[in-house]
């Protein structure tokens, strides 16, 4: 306070004492400051809109505009994936923090084009259509954040979906150059085609330290349970072909094999099965007379007869999904789409999203060595179960396989469920198609408990204008030993109680009103939730010829 | 002076300008981003620039990979390579288990004979006798698929008195050891102070582990089984029921979260318990620790010990357990602790704080439905986490703790059988149980996968799947007297049952010594009559799961039962509402006889009942399968020898599965008299021994089930309008009222 007074007394004294020259000088100075302020204001608002419109055009920007990053030869390579990694050892949960929505925040690195020292790109394909779709879907979702400091999970924009198109060492170096890499902590990589010739590893060969891997084709030996996520191999046909949902039920063929590159040993065994069971089996292969390319992908042949693929899958109850070089097969996706029950023969394969999906309800898993017994095994499955499996297979495809978006969202949801397990989606939410969700009844009190007499019951009496009968009810009810509480709901706000009238049920409008209510409620529920039964619960000796005084509930029935 | 001022002012102005420029426009990037969010731009954030260039597919259309691969590697060789490479810590069923042993005789378990001089702890003795009493047991190692040691491997803590020395040589000298292949080793404690490793102190080879407190790092998925830690007082069979007697809504209890236990101060696993005091608020979050354990606790004690110890004494553990919504289960020295089962039984939802613990039976149990899985690193968030859980969820979690406790944990027998069933599921592969069978009532032990892998074939999942049982029934008539006259009750029964609109077919089970009557002797009916000759003519054959039973419902009948078509129709409509229970006419009751200290059986008219006689009852055909495959042969042969009690056993079985009483429906008076009055006809009911036998049966059955599964009911289901003062013409089931 003291200082301000001083300043105040000196201030006015300052200016009059100035010379004109100085005054001009000060005025100039202040106008410069003013101009500066205006300019800053303009900077704040005006250029901003220019910039954002530039960002709008970003949507149409090409991958070729992404910055080129040269990887030095000596750039560090991450360590190989640690098989003992689990969420509590290799994942930094503090980054996810506590948040009331129980939703993790996911950050996507901006696209960079990595090249080695001589300018050769690290990947032969660069960003693939599928990975672009996946990242776009994630960036549109609730999981996404553009604030790197708030992110819990980081997704590199380097496309590693297909290991074949990658240069392993350089890709690993590129990953390690990411600004938040930190030994791969909380980083998620998506890979669908792992391994390479000659022995095809079942997990991505790119060293990735602690990064989580969402991989297609894990075997039980490479899958880190509760850490990695097993994902399907996306079938690009899903987007190309529209297979309408078919009614579950018996189909023209019992078993169909549509894969083109089945090992000789297995093909021989399939052919033997075909000889034994004839028409029930359809064994398709590549068409030899068609040229390579998209057209040949959409056709399959048997003895010169040409079939449309994947439409033919809808003609069969069961469809074989055999392992190839890799355990994960894109065929699985096509088969599910067609509502055909997959018969999966790939020993040690971790089925897609097996952490949450109950595959026993949608597929048949048979050990490879039991291939010759396949027909008998499948024949033993009840018809009703086959139908349920067909429905379930199609539902799995629609919900979890149909697009890169579905695959990405499911993966993130699984990781989210691990971080916030108490808010995780339930088995029913994951596995029950909406038809079942609507028709099934899950009582909130599902434990079979016989209610004890001690806590008793609460009586709720609704009353409207009828004091006398209300008193009568209260007097009678209060005699009941197990009554704990009696609650009277007075339902008339305006009128004082009138004289006793006849039973409400005799009132015609009353019944009409109640019918209207029922129709109204049913339309809100979408269906009629009430069930009609023809039975009524009575005491055991109800109205039996038996001494009344020996009955537990003597008054009932003798009224 | 003036110049000084001038300089000062111009300097200030300059600095101001620089600052202005710096904050305003000097770093346009972040300022622009920041301001955009400040101004709340309405367009969605699209920082991933949805590239619209024509991009390539991630995998080329022609998959040449596989073809090239196929030329080189034979899948058969590949399998052999896998099974030879992955051993020890990387064991899986494919590489360390010989499935062929299980193919010939099914899933049979062999227990090595106990050697003299070998001490076996009570717990392990319980495990072995459970296996020996189970339907999996075989005494012939040649038939076995799984082998269990008679050497006590439960406690592998070297400091423990139960520790068995020289286990390595003892195991290696076993003739059938075969490097542990197809062996199952049970273990509760491993390692010792100070590091508590999970090593058992001997080479387990390719054996599977059924181990408590196993960590996810050491757990071999689908090979090992994680079992709960149980005390030596854990009952062998039966076991106490869960403490939840009724549901309270809203489900909150006096305390929100409680814990009472030891604190270790130093060493492995001490961090979490040492930090609990941060969360304790002495109101609804009560987390108590004591330093008083071990001989030299004073030596290690820290500043908080005295305060903690005093607070610890103030609360009663059992009182807290019963009055808390959530119970904290932090790790101890080892990952698992007794608190887990205690909380589960007490319907106190466990809040797990044990990072890396592979929860018990995690292969089949979905623990998210019965527990809150916390993270030790986020201890301070635990209170807000549990408070954020909605009351509907709490209600569901609490009920699920009770279901899981009673289904899999309440006795050593259940723990062991669950372990064996999990392994059996792996052996069965494609016909194993689905997740739903394990995680919903009545649980995996009562849901046998041999019967069907389809959920809709069981009586328990109709509501869940949103489907209804098949709207027809199959009548099974148990015939023991030869067919001599056309007025025999069985013929009348056949006619009246066949007239039911819900009847699909009638099976006559010919358990009479006389040869089958000629086909034309049976009355002509609209539904097919199938006559099956009982193989051994024994009582249990009436509950055989005959292939010819195609409907879900079975109407079980004695040959002398008198029933009208109306009664059958009504009972069937009732059954459709309660497909998992027995629905029938004449009922019986059980009681505890204080004088004789045993269960009593009564056929007197009473106000309640707990059994419905299977001489006239409708139930799901799955119970035929359970009766034949779940019950031990000792009980079934007892029934066959006495030719009695089969109905009591069936009622025990169904009530043990459903935990619910059967349902009595109303019946015509005349029928009651013939049944109740025990007419002079040469029926087994007239035998004076008959009644005494039934008392004996009850007690024998109760001891096998480890408790009395029967539940009393005071309810009878009558047709709506039954005996009401309205015109008989308005009643649908009017026959039932007529005398």
């Amino acid at each position: 306070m003291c200082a301000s007074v001083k300043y105040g007394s000196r201030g006015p004294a300052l200016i009059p004492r100035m010379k004109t020259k100085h005054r001009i000088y000060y005025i100039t100075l202040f106008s410069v400051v003013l101009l500066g302020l205006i300019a800053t204001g303009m900077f704040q608002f005006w250029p901003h809109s220019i910039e954002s419109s530039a960002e709008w055009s970003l949507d149409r920007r090409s991958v070729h505009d992404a910055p080129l990053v040269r990887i030095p030869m000596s750039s560090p390579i991450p360590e190989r994936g640690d098989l003992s990694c689990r969420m509590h050892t290799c994942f930094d949960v503090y980054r996810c923090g506590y948040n009331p929505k129980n939703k993790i925040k996911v950050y996507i690195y901006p696209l960079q084009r990595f090249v080695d020292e001589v300018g050769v790109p690290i990947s032969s394909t660069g960003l693939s259509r599928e990975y672009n779709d996946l990242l776009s879907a994630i960036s549109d979702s609730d999981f996404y954040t553009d604030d790197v400091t708030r992110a819990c999970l980081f997704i590199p924009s380097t496309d590693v979906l297909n290991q074949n198109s990658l240069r392993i060492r350089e890709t690993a170096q590129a990953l390690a150059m990411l600004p938040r890499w930190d030994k791969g902590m909380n980083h998620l990589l998506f890979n669908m085609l792992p391994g390479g010739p000659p022995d095809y590893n079942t997990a991505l060969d790119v060293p990735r330290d602690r990064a989580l891997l969402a991989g297609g084709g894990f075997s039980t030996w490479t899958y880190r349970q509760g850490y990695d996520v097993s994902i399907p191999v996306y079938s690009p046909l899903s987007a190309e072909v529209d297979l309408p949902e078919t009614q579950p039920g018996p189909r023209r063929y019992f078993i169909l094999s549509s894969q083109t590159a089945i090992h000789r040993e297995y093909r021989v065994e399939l052919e033997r099965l075909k000889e034994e069971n004839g028409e029930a089996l359809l064994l398709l292969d590549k068409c030899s007379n068609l040229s390579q390319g998209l057209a040949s992908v959409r056709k399959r042949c048997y003895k010169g007869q040409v079939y449309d693929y994947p439409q033919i899958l809808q003609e069969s109850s069961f469809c074989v999904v055999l392992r190839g070089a890799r355990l994960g097969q894109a065929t699985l996706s096509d088969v599910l789409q067609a509502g055909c029950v997959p018969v999966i023969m790939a020993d040690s394969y971790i089925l897609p999203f097996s952490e949450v999906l109950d595959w026993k309800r949608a597929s048949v898993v048979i050990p490879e060595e039991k291939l010759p017994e396949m027909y008998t095994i499948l024949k033993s499955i009840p018809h009703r179960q086959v139908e349920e499996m067909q429905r379930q297979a199609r539902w799995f495809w629609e919900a979890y396989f149909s697009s890169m978006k579905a695959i990405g969202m499911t993966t993130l949801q699984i990781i989210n469920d691990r971080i916030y397990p108490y808010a995780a989606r339930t088995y029913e939410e994951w596995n029950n198609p909406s038809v079942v969700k609507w028709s099934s009844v899950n009582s909130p009190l599902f434990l079979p408990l016989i209610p004890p007499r001690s806590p008793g019951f609460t009586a709720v009496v609704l009353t409207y204008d009828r004091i006398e009968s209300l008193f009568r009810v209260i007097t009678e009810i209060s005699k009941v030993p197990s009554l704990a509480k009696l609650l009277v709901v007075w339902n008339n706000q305006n009128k004082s109680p009138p004289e006793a009238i006849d039973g409400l049920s005799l009132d015609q409008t009353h019944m009409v009103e109640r019918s209207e209510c029922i129709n109204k409620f049913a339309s809100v529920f979408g269906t009629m939730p009430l069930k009609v039964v023809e039975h009524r619960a009575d005491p055991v000796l109800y109205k039996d010829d038996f001494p009344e005084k020996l009955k537990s509930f003597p008054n009932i029935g003798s009224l | 002076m003036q110049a000084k001022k001038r300089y000062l002012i111009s300097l200030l102005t300059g600095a101001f300008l620089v600052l202005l420029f710096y904050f305003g426009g000097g770093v346009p990037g972040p300022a622009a981003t920041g301001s955009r969010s400040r101004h709340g731009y309405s367009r969605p954030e699209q920082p991933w620039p949805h590239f619209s260039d024509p991009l390539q597919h991630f995998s080329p259309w022609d998959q040449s990979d596989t073809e090239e691969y196929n030329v080189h590697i034979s899948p058969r060789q590949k399998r052999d390579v896998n099974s030879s490479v992955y051993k020890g810590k990387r064991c899986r069923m494919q590489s360390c288990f010989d499935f062929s042993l299980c193919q010939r005789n099914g899933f049979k378990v062999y227990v090595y004979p106990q050697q003299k001089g070998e001490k076996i702890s009570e717990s392990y003795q319980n495990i072995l006798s459970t296996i020996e009493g189970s339907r999996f047991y075989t005494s012939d190692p040649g038939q076995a698929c799984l082998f269990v040691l008679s050497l006590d491997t439960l406690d592998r803590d070297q400091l423990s008195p139960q520790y068995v020395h020289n286990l390595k040589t003892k195991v290696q000298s076993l003739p059938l050891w075969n490097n542990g292949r197809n062996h199952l080793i049970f273990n509760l404690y491993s390692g010792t102070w100070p590091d508590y490793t999970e090593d058992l102190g001997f080479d387990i080879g390719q054996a599977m582990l059924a181990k408590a407190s196993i960590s996810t790092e050491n757990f071999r998925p689908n090979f090992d089984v994680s079992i709960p830690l149980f005390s030596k007082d854990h009952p062998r069979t039966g076991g106490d029921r869960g403490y939840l007697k009724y549901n309270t809504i809203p489900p909150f209890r006096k305390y929100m979260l409680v814990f009472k236990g030891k604190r270790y101060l130093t060493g492995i696993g001490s961090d979490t318990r040492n930090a609990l005091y941060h969360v304790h608020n002495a109101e609804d979050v009560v987390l108590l620790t004591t330093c008083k354990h071990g001989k030299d606790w004073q030596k290690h004690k820290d500043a908080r010990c005295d305060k903690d110890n005093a607070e610890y004494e103030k609360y009663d553990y059992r009182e807290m357990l019963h009055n808390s919504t959530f119970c904290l289960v932090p790790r101890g020295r080892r990952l698992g602790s007794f608190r887990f089962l205690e909380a589960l039984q007490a319907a106190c939802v466990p809040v797990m704080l044990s990072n890396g613990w592979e929860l018990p039976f995690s292969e089949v149990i979905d623990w998210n439905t019965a527990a809150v899985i916390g993270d030790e690193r986020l201890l301070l968030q635990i209170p807000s986490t549990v408070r954020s859980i909605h009351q509907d969820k709490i209600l569901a979690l609490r009920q699920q703790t009770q279901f899981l406790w009673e289904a899999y944990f309440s006795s050593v027998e259940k723990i062991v059988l669950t372990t064996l069933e999990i392994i059996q599921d792996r052996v069965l592969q494609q016909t194993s149980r689905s997740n739903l069978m394990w995680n919903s009532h009545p649980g995996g032990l009562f849901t046998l996968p041999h019967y069907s892998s389809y959920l809709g074939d069981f009586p328990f999942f109709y509501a869940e799947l949103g489907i209804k049982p098949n709207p027809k029934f199959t009548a099974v008539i148990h015939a023991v007297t030869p067919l001599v006259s056309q007025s025999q009750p069985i013929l009348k029964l056949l006619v009246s049952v066949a007239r039911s609109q819900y009847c699909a077919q009638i099976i006559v089970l010919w358990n009479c010594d006389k040869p089958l009557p000629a086909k034309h002797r049976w009355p002509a009916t609209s539904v097919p009559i199938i006559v099956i000759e009982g193989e051994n003519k024994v009582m249990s054959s009436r509950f055989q799961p005959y292939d010819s039973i195609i409907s879900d419902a079975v109407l079980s009948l004695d040959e002398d039962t008198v029933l009208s078509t109306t009664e059958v129709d009504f009972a069937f409509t009732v059954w459709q509402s309660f497909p998992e229970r027995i629905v029938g006419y004449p009922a019986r009751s059980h009681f505890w006889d204080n004088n004789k200290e045993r269960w009593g059986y009564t056929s007197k008219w009473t106000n309640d009942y707990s059994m419905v006689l299977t001489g006239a009852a409708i139930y799901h055909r799955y119970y035929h399968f359970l009766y034949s495959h779940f019950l031990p042969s000792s009980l079934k042969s007892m029934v066959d020898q006495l030719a009695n009690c089969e109905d009591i056993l069936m009622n025990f079985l169904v009530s043990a599965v459903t935990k619910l009483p059967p349902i009595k429906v109303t019946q015509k008076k005349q029928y009651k008299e013939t049944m109740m009055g025990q007419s002079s006809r040469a029926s087994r009911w007239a035998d004076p021994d008959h009644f005494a036998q039934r008392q004996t049966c009850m007690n024998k059955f109760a001891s096998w089930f480890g408790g009395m599964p029967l539940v009393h009911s005071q309810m009878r289901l009558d047709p709506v309008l039954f005996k009401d003062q309205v015109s008989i013409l308005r009643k649908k089931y009017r026959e039932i009222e007529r005398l």
Side-chain angles (χ1 to χ4, degrees), chain A residues 353-481:
Chain A
F353 304 129
S354 58
E355 191 170 330
V356 294
L357 299 189
D358 188 350
W359 278 99
K360 275 173 196 157
R361 286 173 64 186
S363 70
V364 183
V365 178
I366 296 179
E368 288 171 40
E369 60 173 9
K370 286 201 179 166
L371 176 57
E373 297 159 46
M374 172 171 70
Y375 187 81
T376 11
I377 292 172
L378 297 180
K379 267 290 170 201
S380 71
I381 300 173
H383 288 296
R384 285 199 290 178
Q385 188 180 4
V386 177
E387 284 177 22
E388 206 218 57
M389 284 169 142
Q390 289 171 338
R391 203 178 296 123
Q392 197 78 1
R394 173 75 185 194
W395 146 250
F396 276 5
W397 179 81
E398 278 169 13
Y400 310 112
F401 281 68
S402 56
S403 62
M404 286 306 286
K405 178 181 176 181
I407 295 172
M409 289 301 117
T410 311
T411 310
L412 292 183
Q413 186 63 44
I414 288 175
I415 295 171
N416 196 74
D417 282 3
R418 291 180 191 156
I419 292 164
Y420 307 106
Y422 42 87
R425 291 178 70 177
T426 63
Y427 171 90
E428 284 78 15
E429 286 172 299
W430 282 113
N431 290 287
N432 284 355
S434 45
V435 195
V436 175
K437 276 177 197 144
W438 274 108
S439 57
S440 66
V441 192
N442 282 314
S443 163
L445 306 176
F446 53 82
L447 193 70
L449 287 172
I450 299 300
R453 289 179 197 185
S454 49
F457 66 91
T458 302
V460 181
V461 186
L462 180 74
T463 181
Y464 187 86
D465 290 357
R466 288 196 303 161
I467 289 275
E468 271 170 47
S469 63
L470 170 69
F471 284 171
R472 206 165 52 240
V473 168
I474 291 175
T475 339
E476 285 300 318
I477 297 269
S478 57
K479 287 180 194 159
V480 176

Side-chain angles (χ1 to χ4, degrees), chain B residues 230-481:
Chain B
F230 60 89
S231 71
K232 62 179 192 304
D233 307 320
H234 207 62
R236 194 180 81 79
T237 60
D240 294 337
R241 297 201 57 181
Y243 293 158
L244 188 71
K245 292 290 176 279
Y246 52 90
N247 283 306
T248 47
I249 297 165
F252 305 110
R253 295 178 174 175
K254 182 175 160 193
Y255 303 111
M256 195 65 187
L257 179 68
V258 299
F259 170 72
K260 195 175 178 189
K262 295 184 217 170
R263 187 153 71 82
Y264 298 106
L265 299 149
T266 54
I268 187 164
S270 58
D271 299 345
T272 300
R273 290 191 181 193
N274 281 344
L276 290 183
Y277 76 99
H278 290 296
V279 184
H280 170 76
N281 68 7
E283 281 167 27
D284 63 343
V285 177
V286 181
L287 309 179
L288 307 166
T289 54
T290 179
C291 307
K292 271 193 215 171
H293 55 89
K295 274 167 272 169
D296 48 354
W297 70 274
Q298 299 269 13
K299 211 161 46 180
H300 302 287
K301 92 177 201 186
D302 62 15
R304 267 194 352 267
C305 270
D306 290 326
K307 190 166 170 279
D308 284 355
N309 290 357
E311 191 86 353
Y312 186 85
E313 302 298 331
K314 274 196 254 168
Y315 292 87
D316 178 54
Y317 177 57
R318 295 194 71 80
E319 193 267 338
M320 293 200 328
L321 199 61
H322 289 246
N323 291 302
S324 182
T325 311
F326 293 97
C327 280
L328 200 67
V329 183
R331 61 167 296 173
R333 290 289 193 206
R334 299 184 178 86
L335 291 168
S337 80
F338 291 120
R339 300 290 160 273
F340 183 63
L341 284 192
E342 287 165 0
L344 209 61
Q345 183 182 16
C348 184
V349 178
V351 177
M352 312 305 305
L353 274 189
S354 186
N355 283 5
W357 180 22
E358 188 71 34
L359 292 178
F361 304 135
S362 54
E363 188 174 334
V364 297
I365 294 179
D366 180 2
W367 279 106
N368 274 338
T369 60
V372 176
I373 296 159
D375 190 319
E376 286 184 74
R377 294 173 291 178
L378 303 177
L379 169 68
L380 300 184
Q381 287 178 15
I382 292 290
S384 48
T385 301
V386 296
R387 280 182 220 279
S388 75
I389 296 174
H390 192 267
Q391 47 173 303
D392 291 354
K393 180 89 189 280
I394 295 176
L395 197 64
L397 288 167
R398 181 179 297 160
Q399 292 177 79
Q400 191 73 0
T401 60
Q402 299 297 282
F403 157 65
L404 291 176
W405 164 260
E406 284 179 21
Y408 306 117
F409 297 104
S410 64
S411 65
V412 176
E413 181 184 34
K414 288 196 179 131
I415 296 174
V416 172
L417 289 180
T418 308
T419 310
L420 296 182
E421 293 280 10
I422 289 174
I423 298 170
Q424 191 197 14
D425 260 11
R426 297 177 192 158
V427 173
L428 288 173
Q429 285 159 335
Q430 74 280 356
T431 50
S432 58
R433 295 171 181 86
S434 81
N435 180 304
L436 205 59
M437 296 181 183
W438 284 106
N439 288 287
S440 58
H441 187 77
L445 299 190
F446 288 124
T447 320
L448 303 188
H450 305 94
Y451 166 72
S452 172
S453 47
Y454 176 51
L455 291 163
D457 281 340
F458 292 87
F460 319 114
F461 309 108
Y462 292 126
E464 180 96 31
L465 298 176
I467 57 173
K468 289 200 174 78
N470 176 330
K472 294 276 177 183
F473 67 82
T474 300
V476 178
I477 303 177
H478 186 229
V480 287
T481 50

Side-chain angles (χ1 to χ4, degrees), chain A residues 14 22 25-26 29 33 40 45 48 51 55-56 59 61-63 83 86-89 91 94 98 111 125 127-130 132 135-136 139-140 144 146 162 164 193 198 200 220-221 225 261 263 265-266 269 286 292 294 325-326 347-348 358 360 365 367-370 377 384-385 388 421-422 427-428 439-442 444-449 452-453 534-544 546 550-553, chain B residues 5-6 9-10 13 16 24 32 36 39 41 43 45-51 53 55-59 61-62 65-67 69-70 73-76 79 86 90 92 94 103 216-217 221 244 246-247 356 368 373 377 381 384-385 393 395-396 399-400 402 429-430 432-436 441 453-454 457 463-466 570 573-574 577 605 607 609 658 669 672 711 714-724 732-733:
Chain A
L14 193 73
H22 285 136
Y25 173 72
Y26 282 120
L29 204 75
V33 170
T40 319
F45 299 98
H48 174 67
E51 203 188 20
E55 266 185 43
W56 269 113
D59 295 355
R61 210 162 71 177
S62 159
V63 280
L83 267 180
R86 292 295 181 274
M87 290 307 267
H88 65 278
T89 53
F91 191 86
Y94 297 115
Y98 175 77
L111 186 67
T125 50
L127 181 71
S128 69
R129 188 185 299 183
E130 283 78 13
N132 179 36
L135 296 184
S136 306
S139 80
D140 290 341
Y144 181 74
D146 59 356
N162 184 356
N164 281 5
L193 300 175
Y200 290 93
T220 175
W221 291 289
Q225 204 173 19
H263 192 274
E265 277 179 30
Y266 287 154
E269 277 173 10
K286 206 185 312 179
Q292 292 281 328
L294 183 63
R326 298 187 176 91
D347 290 359
S348 81
D358 188 350
K360 275 173 196 157
V365 178
E368 288 171 40
E369 60 173 9
K370 286 201 179 166
I377 292 172
R384 285 199 290 178
Q385 188 180 4
E388 206 218 57
Y422 42 87
Y427 171 90
E428 284 78 15
S439 57
S440 66
V441 192
N442 282 314
L445 306 176
F446 53 82
L447 193 70
L449 287 172
R453 289 179 197 185
E534 295 175 343
H535 50 75
R536 173 184 87 187
D538 292 321
V540 171
L541 298 172
Y542 178 75
K543 286 199 178 175
D544 279 343
F546 196 73
L550 292 180
K551 291 185 183 177
S552 294
F553 305 102
Chain B
K5 245 178 231 165
R6 208 163 54 223
I9 290 170
S10 55
T13 321
F16 177 62
R36 187 179 53 203
H39 292 283
Y41 263 63
R43 80 180 187 83
E45 309 252 358
Q46 287 191 334
W48 179 260
H50 303 58
F51 294 107
D53 324 37
L55 296 169
Q56 288 185 42
H57 281 291
F58 78 107
S59 87
W61 287 111
D62 44 343
D65 282 354
T66 303
E67 283 163 29
Y69 173 80
N70 282 347
I73 295 176
S74 142
R76 204 163 284 132
R79 291 204 297 268
Y86 297 110
R90 315 205 67 194
R92 294 293 186 276
Q94 295 95 331
Q103 262 154 16
T216 45
E217 284 95 346
L244 188 71
Y246 52 90
N247 283 306
N368 274 338
I373 296 159
R377 294 173 291 178
Q381 287 178 15
S384 48
T385 301
K393 180 89 189 280
L395 197 64
Q399 292 177 79
Q400 191 73 0
Q402 299 297 282
Q429 285 159 335
Q430 74 280 356
S432 58
R433 295 171 181 86
S434 81
N435 180 304
L436 205 59
H441 187 77
S453 47
Y454 176 51
D457 281 340
E464 180 96 31
L465 298 176
F570 176 63
T573 59
V574 170
S577 297
W605 280 36
N607 284 295
Y609 62 93
T658 59
K669 188 104 187 295
K672 257 185 265 180
V711 186
Q714 299 192 322
M715 178 182 78
R716 186 181 78 188
L717 290 179
D718 296 342
V720 176
L721 299 183
F722 176 69
K723 287 194 180 174
D724 280 349
K732 183 168 177 190
Y733 300 101

